[in-house]
Amino acid sequence: MKGYGSMKRIGVLGSTGSIGTQTLDIVRNNRDLQVKALAAGSNVSKLEEQIREFKPELAVMWDQLAAQELKIKIADTNTKVLCGMEGLLELAVYPEMDVLVTAVVGMIGIKPTIAAIEAGKTIALANKETLVTAGHIIMPLAEKRKVAILPVDSEHSAIFQSMHGENRERVSKILLTASGGPFRGKKREELLDITVEDALKHPNWSMGRKITVDSSTLVNKGLEVIEAKWLFGVEPEDIQVVVHPQSIIHSMVEYVDGGIMAQLGMPDMKLPIQYALFYPDRRPMEGKRVDFFKLGSISFERPDTDTFRGLAMAYEAIAVGGSMPTVFNAANEKAVALFLEKKIKFLEIYDLIQGAMENHKVIQSPSVEEILEAEAEAYEYIGNR
Ligand code: NDP
Ligand code: MG
């Protein structure tokens, strides 16, 4: 069953988060999407609410105690409850599901994504850590299994849309746009006393806490460069980051004849999520539209990679390759968590990432186990510093 009006059965890994809840908003507006399975970390009340509304057959809670609590709370429903990695893996291969939306945060997404690809599920991929750390495993596997990996990250969706119907061999470069975050234009001295509250104020996008901090350090843009390299098979030197503070152009692709294709729209994650769910179709969506007269002008700048070292470090990590992007990502995760707990200062995030990268002995083409070991090593390095 395909096409407008036919049923598409989805599972959402990370349904209680920012991307997860927006995915469910889209389900609410499209009666031909059916939720078969939902998973979250430990938010029992939110998952219970979602189970009562969407009536999935399977619900997974990472945390075992939370799963037990959920089981009792929804004993009156027909939803089966599982927990831990075993549960996530069962969700990933759930037979009655066509598309898996990977909206968890962190490397926990790697194994379920691999299992889902093995089982032939279409992947709507938001969880960028999966490609950053295991792109060399995921992309060849998806090709082998003839499974589509549809990007949800807004920049990658824009690039994907700008490549639609084009010969990918004629791409000369990717222009990945960045808002520049809340501290754009500031110099190092001005960043010394940045608070958590300052970093969580993103000028254009409303997102989860971790990724909002990553936007302010430009680490998010660095992760996106690595993600784009894997998704589109483009060398990092052919991916140029362009700061565009209005966030109207979501990214662009330049071709060998100098022509540039771009995707524009309001900064709202629902569009890229919906595009991935219905690709290659488009569905109507309510919401504000770009008003060019109101906008007046848009502007562009070169990123300040001396101040916002996150981007430069990402290019370094990808140049070294192997397990280094994992260490870049894991060290950042841990450092951002410490910053959010107010245990370190904003600029120390960079120092911790750099330290972890310098400390790491690279493994070329790491296996999933080696990726997870590199992650643990980076966590330990930062924990013991
Ligand atoms: P959030 O922090 O808002 O949500 C994370 C989700 O993952 C929650 O549902 C959380 O459950 C769940 N989760 C956490 N740990 C586990 C676990 N061990 N097992 C199962 N579920 C778990 O993140 P975002 O939605 O912001 O981001 C999700 C991913 O999408 C990230 O990789 C991010 O980089 C990417 N992304 C996000 C964008 C955005 O606009 N937010 C834009 C582009 C990409 P619980 O609530 O129970 O903790
Ligand atoms: Mg993005």
Side-chain angles (χ1 to χ4, degrees):
M1 282 212 304
K2 280 221 160 73
Y4 218 92
S6 69
M7 203 48 91
K8 213 172 221 176
R9 304 164 304 175
I10 72 166
V12 187
L13 210 63
S15 64
T16 54
S18 162
I19 296 289
T21 50
Q22 293 182 85
T23 303
L24 294 177
D25 285 343
I26 290 163
V27 174
R28 253 182 225 116
N29 293 326
N30 290 278
R31 301 237 149 215
D32 52 348
L33 288 177
Q34 193 181 12
V35 177
K36 287 286 177 176
L38 296 174
S42 60
N43 189 341
V44 174
S45 56
K46 187 95 204 162
L47 194 58
E48 179 188 359
E49 220 175 85
Q50 294 179 342
I51 291 168
R52 296 204 178 275
E53 180 176 358
F54 295 98
K55 306 185 170 47
E57 289 160 18
L58 177 64
V60 183
M61 197 101 251
W62 172 258
D63 186 274
Q64 198 180 348
L65 288 177
Q68 278 168 10
E69 200 187 321
L70 181 72
K71 217 176 194 163
I72 295 166
K73 284 200 163 165
I74 61 154
D76 61 311
T77 70
N78 294 322
T79 304
K80 175 174 157 191
V81 180
L82 295 174
C83 73
M85 182 51 78
E86 229 171 275
L88 296 184
L89 291 175
E90 193 160 329
L91 182 151
V93 303
Y94 195 67
E96 307 286 302
M97 174 183 84
D98 310 305
V99 184
L100 178 66
V101 181
T102 63
V104 282
V105 60
M107 287 179 222
I108 198 83
I110 301 175
K111 283 182 179 171
T113 306
I114 290 177
I117 296 171
E118 293 273 15
K121 311 293 183 194
T122 298
I123 309 289
L125 184 131
N127 177 237
K128 59 187 76 177
E129 296 88 346
T130 297
L131 282 185
V132 167
T133 60
H136 61 287
I137 299 171
I138 300 281
M139 294 314 289
L141 183 64
E143 202 177 335
K144 194 168 133 204
R145 297 274 182 230
K146 302 202 176 355
V147 158
I149 309 247
L150 304 169
V152 166
D153 207 343
S154 60
E155 293 78 1
H156 304 78
S157 176
I159 294 163
F160 187 63
Q161 293 177 60
S162 301
M163 286 183 175
H164 195 70
E166 300 281 354
N167 180 351
R168 288 202 183 185
E169 282 170 18
R170 303 292 178 261
V171 170
S172 66
K173 119 181 170 195
I174 285 179
L175 298 149
L176 192 82
T177 53
S179 70
F183 311 133
R184 182 178 57 89
K186 288 203 192 302
K187 291 289 162 210
R188 199 181 154 78
E189 311 76 65
E190 298 170 89
L191 296 175
L192 289 171
D193 295 313
I194 290 296
T195 65
V196 171
E197 292 71 26
D198 295 332
L200 288 179
K201 274 184 215 138
H202 195 280
N204 306 329
W205 294 93
S206 139
M207 307 179 285
R209 279 157 64 87
K210 190 244 169 197
I211 186 174
T212 304
V213 176
D214 289 352
S215 299
S216 76
T217 56
L218 285 198
V219 165
N220 182 52
K221 212 44 59 179
L223 294 171
E224 290 182 353
V225 168
I226 307 176
E227 190 185 3
K229 171 205 145 78
W230 289 115
L231 269 173
F232 306 110
V234 176
E235 290 309 314
E237 52 272 25
D238 296 328
I239 305 173
Q240 186 180 358
V241 173
V242 178
V243 175
H244 160 47
Q246 298 82 13
S247 298
I248 293 298
I249 300 179
H250 299 311
S251 277
M252 308 178 258
V253 179
E254 184 185 300
Y255 290 88
V256 287
D257 58 358
I260 297 172
M261 304 300 287
Q263 187 255 336
L264 286 71
M266 296 301 287
D268 183 345
M269 284 309 297
K270 284 206 209 50
L271 187 137
I273 299 170
Q274 179 168 290
Y275 188 78
L277 290 176
F278 290 106
Y279 173 79
D281 204 357
R282 284 188 189 268
R283 287 296 176 85
M285 189 156 70
E286 300 281 310
K288 274 202 199 144
R289 298 294 190 250
V290 176
D291 180 338
F292 286 96
F293 298 128
K294 225 186 222 162
L295 197 59
S297 61
I298 52 178
S299 56
F300 305 96
E301 291 165 19
R302 197 181 285 281
D304 174 1
T305 52
D306 294 330
T307 306
F308 300 95
R309 289 153 59 205
L311 185 55
M313 287 195 275
Y315 275 101
E316 225 177 280
I318 193 66
V320 174
S323 52
M324 196 55 101
T326 296
V327 172
F328 169 73
N329 176 66
N332 174 63
E333 242 175 62
K334 196 77 181 166
V336 169
L338 290 174
F339 172 69
L340 285 170
E341 289 165 25
K342 307 196 174 173
K343 289 191 178 141
I344 62 165
K345 292 194 156 213
F346 183 75
L347 288 174
E348 281 179 81
I349 296 175
Y350 297 134
D351 302 336
L352 290 179
I353 301 173
Q354 193 178 344
M357 283 172 64
E358 281 168 5
N359 179 59
H360 180 62
K361 267 215 188 74
V362 181
I363 304 163
Q364 285 306 328
S365 212
S367 65
V368 173
E369 292 317 318
E370 286 167 330
I371 290 169
L372 298 175
E373 278 163 28
E375 176 192 43
E377 177 209 294
Y379 282 1
E380 205 181 299
Y381 170 83
I382 291 184
N384 296 336
R385 104 215 102 93

